[in-house]
Each structure stands twice: as structure tokens, then as C-alpha cells.
Amino acid sequence: MKVLVPVKRVVDYNVKVRVRSDNTGVDTANVKMSMNPFDEIALEEAMRLKESGKVTEVIAISCGVTQCQETLRTAMAIGADRAILVEAGADLEPLAVAKLIKALADKEQPQLIILGKQAIDDDSNQTGQMLAALLGWPQATFASKVVLIDDKVTVTREVDGGLETLELVLPAIITTDLRLNEPRYVTLPNIMKAKKKPLDVVKPEDLGVDCAPRITTLKVVEPAKRSAGITVPDVATLVAKLRNEAKVI
């Protein structure tokens, strides 16, 4: 069984994000970048399925700038067998990414695609769902448990009311939630081995995909700073302030 795992290069979660002075976007110059944390969870789950003998090959893919090769090398150090980079512009929209992954899925014919539920840079939470629609495959989002048996996968997903369990017939798409697993650390020997694993680079034109943006970002600003709180002497004063100043009741 072949599993496809898309991974995204994002600003490291430990870095304080800053907006460019011209308000055109987030400043990424000389900023530490790393693999999207939810994608790490997706890759870890794929590796556990492979180690259990249920998966034979794990392919990591990424869409973006040339530097995404570093992210793919990390994915191969974690355990992916090979990697594919779709070299494109930095500002790919979720629909464009979904189309690129679909083109690769048509070529590679995986039985399972595991993605992180969202990326921590744009928080779109759209690519997995769009990909399922484009491929016409069943999907299970926000997965907190995955059990693969023969040609079916049982997924426990987190919903507002608690937990929901779905059974999907392969091929299928799963997006991972935070509580699915704990990603492993990358060891130095595996980093060295990853340098010898194959990494193919293709262009969107090679896949016949149009990545032209459909959305224009007009302005990006930092959130307003919160004002300091105050202490009120009694409930009556609190209610008066909520009604007259905050205008929330």
C-alpha cells in the first residue's frame, strides 16, 4: 500500500510572527522555517502504519519554493521513502495546492493520503476537503485515531459534541488532529540517510495545473493590543460597565 503525505514549509511555531512594514504580508526574511506541526503528525501516522506492516511506501510531497526541499529532507529523515517537490511560487492558495496534489495522486495512485488538518501560517483548513472533492474520495477530517484493516480504514474524529467514528473504503483522505500521536525526533544517522533518498522536482506546468491566484490580499495588519483589565467593587458596577461601556448586554 502506498501513502502520500503532503508537508508544508511554514514559519517555525516558536518564532514571533511580524508583519511587513508595507502591510503586504508576513515578514519571512531571515526567519526560521520548519515543517507544519500538523503535517508532522500526519507523517508520523504514516510511518507507524508502515512499521506495523500495513503500508509499503510513504511518499512526502510539498508545493512551494525551492527551499521546500529542506522540509522534504526532514520528512525523509523521519522515514519517508522518497519525496516530490512541485516547485512553484510562495503564495499558493489551498485550491491550487489541492489541484497539484490531485495531479500527483493521479500519477502515483496511492491508496491513502494523510494531511495535517491545517497549516499554522494561514489556518485555512481547506486543502484536504478540496482534495477529497477533486478526487471523489471519502474523507475523514480532524482524526484522533486511525485503524487500517485490509481495504478499509476506521477513523475516530473530534467533533463539537465529542467523538465520531467513521469507516472509509480505500482510497481515502484523512486530515490529522493534534491528539492523533506524538511525532518522533529526527536522529543524526537518519538525517544522513535522507540525503541519499530520491527527491524529484516538477513544475505545475508538467502536471497541467494552473496555479494563478484567485484571491488578492489587500492588507495585513497585526491585531490590536488588548487594553488592561480593571477590578470592579461589586456586581452592579460590573453589569453597568458591560451595558454602558462594553455594550455587550
Side-chain angles (χ1 to χ4, degrees):
M1 179 182 292
K2 187 185 293 186
V3 176
L4 214 60
V5 183
V7 296
K8 186 176 184 182
R9 179 176 182 264
V10 299
V11 175
D12 190 87
Y13 65 90
N14 288 312
V15 173
K16 177 175 173 54
V17 176
R18 300 185 183 279
V19 175
R20 294 190 195 121
S21 57
D22 59 1
N23 297 117
T24 57
V26 172
D27 187 6
T28 58
N30 301 315
V31 172
K32 182 184 177 183
M33 309 292 281
S34 62
M35 186 186 302
N36 179 49
F38 289 104
D39 297 341
E40 284 189 64
I41 293 170
L43 185 59
E44 173 66 26
E45 193 63 22
M47 294 314 306
R48 293 187 184 190
L49 291 173
K50 183 182 178 183
E51 290 165 355
S52 68
K54 297 173 182 176
V55 168
T56 55
E57 185 180 25
V58 176
I59 306 169
I61 63 175
S62 190
C63 306
V65 295
T66 305
Q67 290 84 345
C68 291
Q69 291 189 30
E70 300 170 10
T71 307
L72 290 172
R73 290 293 177 193
T74 301
M76 289 189 286
I78 291 172
D81 298 288
R82 57 189 175 95
I84 304 172
L85 170 63
V86 182
E87 199 170 57
D91 299 322
L92 288 173
E93 295 173 1
L95 179 59
V97 175
K99 288 180 179 179
L100 292 170
I101 298 173
K102 177 189 181 297
L104 291 175
D106 290 339
K107 179 181 178 182
E108 295 290 341
Q109 294 295 306
Q111 285 71 50
L112 189 62
I113 301 178
I114 308 178
L115 312 87
K117 70 171 184 177
Q118 66 194 80
I120 62 171
D121 52 1
D122 57 17
D123 268 344
S124 289
N125 187 4
Q126 296 174 344
T127 304
Q129 293 88 327
M130 288 177 170
L131 179 60
L134 291 171
L135 286 169
W137 291 7
Q139 63 173 312
T141 56
F142 314 118
S144 60
K145 184 178 180 182
V146 175
V147 179
L148 184 60
I149 301 176
D150 298 327
D151 63 340
K152 294 181 180 179
V153 58
T154 302
V155 179
T156 301
R157 59 188 299 266
E158 300 189 0
V159 295
D160 291 341
L163 299 176
E164 178 183 57
T165 302
L166 302 176
E167 185 179 77
L168 311 178
V169 177
L170 300 180
I173 290 173
I174 297 172
T175 70
T176 60
D177 209 337
L178 195 62
R179 281 159 287 280
L180 178 59
N181 59 50
E182 182 74 28
R184 68 193 67 186
Y185 289 103
V186 181
T187 62
L188 182 58
N190 287 337
I191 292 174
M192 301 306 293
K193 290 177 184 176
K195 293 181 180 180
K196 298 180 180 179
K197 292 183 178 180
L199 193 162
D200 298 325
V201 180
V202 298
K203 300 285 187 180
E205 308 87 70
D206 302 332
L207 302 173
V209 177
D210 176 20
C211 293
R214 269 69 177 177
I215 300 171
T216 302
T217 301
L218 301 179
K219 191 177 184 182
V220 177
V221 296
E222 292 188 14
K225 296 186 182 298
R226 295 180 61 179
S227 57
I230 61 172
T231 302
V232 294
D234 50 45
V235 175
T237 307
L238 173 62
V239 172
K241 286 187 174 292
L242 291 174
R243 179 179 290 121
N244 302 322
E245 295 182 19
K247 308 282 187 189
V248 295
I249 59 173

